[in-house]
Amino acid sequence: MWKFARPIRHKIEETRWPSAAEAARSRLFSPIQIGRLEARSRTWVPAMVPWRATEDGFVTQQNLDWYRRFAEGRPGVLVVEATGVRDIPSGPLLRIGDDRFIPGLRKLVDAVKEASRGETLLFIQIIDFLAVKRRPERAKYLQRFLSVTDAHREALAAVTGLTSWRKADDARVRSFLETAEDALLESVLSPRELEALNFGYRERVTDTHLDHIARLPQELPGIFAAAAERARAAGFDGVELHYAHAYTMAGFLSRQNNREDDYGGSHENRVRLPLEVFRSVRERVGSDYVVGVRFLADEVIEGGSRVEDAIYYGQEFARAGFDFLSLSKGGKFEDAQQPKVGQAVYPYTGQSGYECMPTVLSDETGPFGRSVPLVAAIKRAVN
């Protein structure tokens, strides 16, 4: 995990519960309107992923117990973990990509409503993600996954000074690279190939040479809308569209999105698909259903979006009619630490991951309230 060069250990203050009179005077415990609904307080449990679903994405007793414990505290709002909108393998992550998931999700809704005595609004965060492969063994990558091209042969000829590489067959190139020193390998492989070797293959929204990536703008609005409709059928009070961190919709919003169609490059193009997804969801679930969004106040990566981008997106989301905006920070793949062979890269291990989930080992600022200035700037602009 990423750490500051000279971290300072900050103390966690002892918990002190407010008196009834203090709570009555506090904004935190005052009601707030969210779309057509009213939350009894502004206490909010954001989406977390406890990895308690089955490998097929179904709700388990562990899921029910996890959310029941939060609901017993009767927060104003409780947001269920990132839940996959596609019916594809995703490990022990909840799914909502097919009607067969509705009964289990309905049990979860009933458990929360019972435990909170009906006082907690329950939203579900819905997410799309692209393929991320485990880091391969070097020999396996070079022998099975690397597509040998003339560019590799030319690079080998230039590095070694041997023109015979220009006519070498694939097997000879692979065998040579398998035992080559790292410096030579770095001279021959492209940056994306080196990433696939050292971190595992990872798709991006900019990989428009892949048909399924090129078609995302045409397919995702309907996929998200169907998932939101299932959420309503299961009894959730609303949905939170996941446009944050290292996942598909965040990729479209990122300043690194240089797609050459109408969905990359400028601010207007980068926000186009997120708005189209929202409009499709709104049309499907109706104007009386809560639809919010989770997005980044700062990507915290080189060449990534900053608060100025988030201000623009927040204003556009507000104009479009989102019922709430939920801000996060960082949590990106681009600065994640290298995984071990056989493991997948995890987007919360670099500096952007720290800023997403800070610990008491921090800098002078400390772990608490690190995003407050960003959120305040966005809120001022949106208001």
Side-chain angles (χ1 to χ4, degrees):
M1 301 293 286
W2 183 88
K3 296 179 181 179
F4 288 99
R6 289 178 290 278
I8 301 169
R9 181 177 290 276
H10 293 259
K11 292 181 62 176
I12 297 178
E13 293 185 9
E14 187 175 346
T15 299
R16 186 186 72 82
W17 296 102
S19 66
E22 288 174 323
R25 294 193 302 268
S26 169
R27 174 171 293 204
L28 179 63
F29 293 100
S30 66
I32 187 171
Q33 198 74 21
I34 305 175
R36 302 283 182 91
L37 303 178
E38 183 181 80
R40 292 172 61 89
S41 76
R42 300 165 191 242
T43 53
W44 186 291
V45 180
M48 296 172 277
V49 179
W51 301 110
R52 283 166 164 78
T54 70
E55 288 293 326
D56 296 323
F58 287 99
V59 172
T60 66
Q61 186 61 45
Q62 287 181 305
N63 286 121
L64 300 180
D65 294 343
W66 168 270
Y67 287 106
R68 187 180 283 113
R69 288 181 66 190
F70 285 111
E72 287 171 351
R74 287 177 280 171
V77 175
L78 173 57
V79 186
V80 169
E81 66 203 68
T83 301
V85 296
R86 298 178 193 256
D87 192 11
I88 58 175
S90 52
L93 184 78
L94 289 177
R95 289 191 229 163
I96 196 169
D98 186 85
D99 288 352
R100 71 181 186 279
F101 297 109
I102 293 177
L105 293 170
R106 189 176 289 127
K107 287 183 181 179
L108 196 159
V109 171
D110 292 342
V112 168
K113 295 298 182 181
E114 178 185 7
S116 70
R117 305 177 197 175
E119 294 186 13
T120 294
L121 295 181
L122 184 64
F123 303 151
I124 185 169
Q125 186 183 77
I126 54 178
I127 184 175
D128 184 67
F129 42 84
L130 301 178
V132 179
K133 304 297 184 181
R134 299 175 187 272
R135 180 187 170 192
E137 295 179 352
R138 177 167 170 160
K140 182 178 181 180
Y141 173 77
L142 293 170
Q143 293 294 337
R144 292 181 54 185
F145 301 130
L146 178 66
S147 297
V148 177
T149 68
D150 287 342
H152 297 123
R153 295 182 177 90
E154 287 294 334
L156 279 170
V159 171
T160 64
L162 300 174
T163 59
S164 59
W165 282 114
R166 293 184 177 131
K167 295 183 179 180
D169 61 23
D170 289 5
R172 183 186 171 202
V173 172
R174 294 181 194 280
S175 297
F176 181 79
L177 292 178
E178 192 174 332
T179 57
E181 295 182 356
D182 289 347
L184 186 145
L185 206 60
E186 291 170 5
S187 300
V188 174
L189 300 185
S190 71
R192 286 293 295 273
E193 289 166 343
L194 283 169
E195 179 190 283
L197 170 62
N198 294 321
F199 289 83
Y201 173 74
R202 175 171 64 86
E203 290 180 343
R204 293 164 167 79
V205 301
T206 51
D207 291 337
T208 52
H209 61 285
L210 303 173
D211 288 344
H212 67 283
I213 300 293
R215 293 196 307 269
L216 287 174
Q218 289 72 50
E219 296 181 352
L220 283 179
I223 292 173
F224 270 94
E229 187 174 34
R230 293 186 190 101
R232 181 158 197 170
F236 288 94
D237 296 305
V239 293
E240 179 178 271
L241 307 185
H242 196 330
Y243 291 179
H245 304 145
Y247 310 108
T248 307
M249 298 306 296
F252 277 93
L253 289 173
S254 175
R255 197 180 287 186
Q256 292 191 344
N257 173 14
N258 60 357
R259 285 176 66 117
E260 295 181 352
D261 55 10
D262 292 334
Y263 296 92
S266 67
H267 275 136
E268 294 80 8
N269 283 354
R270 300 201 311 262
V271 80
R272 190 184 307 277
L273 180 58
L275 291 176
E276 289 176 354
V277 166
F278 166 70
R279 294 186 188 108
S280 185
V281 167
R282 175 61 77 203
E283 182 178 356
R284 189 75 65 93
V285 298
S287 60
D288 61 334
Y289 194 63
V290 171
V291 182
V293 59
R294 179 83 159 171
F295 67 108
L296 293 176
D298 189 336
E299 287 194 295
V300 199
I301 55 172
E302 184 177 353
S305 297
R306 295 290 180 259
V307 68
E308 294 80 12
D309 303 274
I311 286 172
Y312 174 82
Y313 298 145
Q315 291 172 321
E316 291 299 307
F317 293 155
R319 290 190 186 102
F322 275 101
D323 293 309
F324 67 85
L325 309 182
S326 177
L327 277 299
S328 189
K329 187 179 181 184
K332 304 295 291 184
F333 280 119
E334 283 77 5
D335 66 347
Q337 292 188 351
Q338 185 181 41
K340 295 179 180 179
V341 171
Q343 296 183 358
V345 64
Y346 189 54
Y348 302 98
T349 52
Q351 184 175 1
S352 74
Y354 175 87
E355 293 294 345
C356 182
M357 297 183 285
T359 70
V360 293
L361 291 175
S362 187
D363 58 6
E364 293 81 1
T365 303
F368 308 109
R370 295 181 72 87
S371 297
V372 168
L374 303 175
V375 175
I378 296 164
K379 180 173 174 56
R380 282 194 300 269
V382 167
N383 286 352

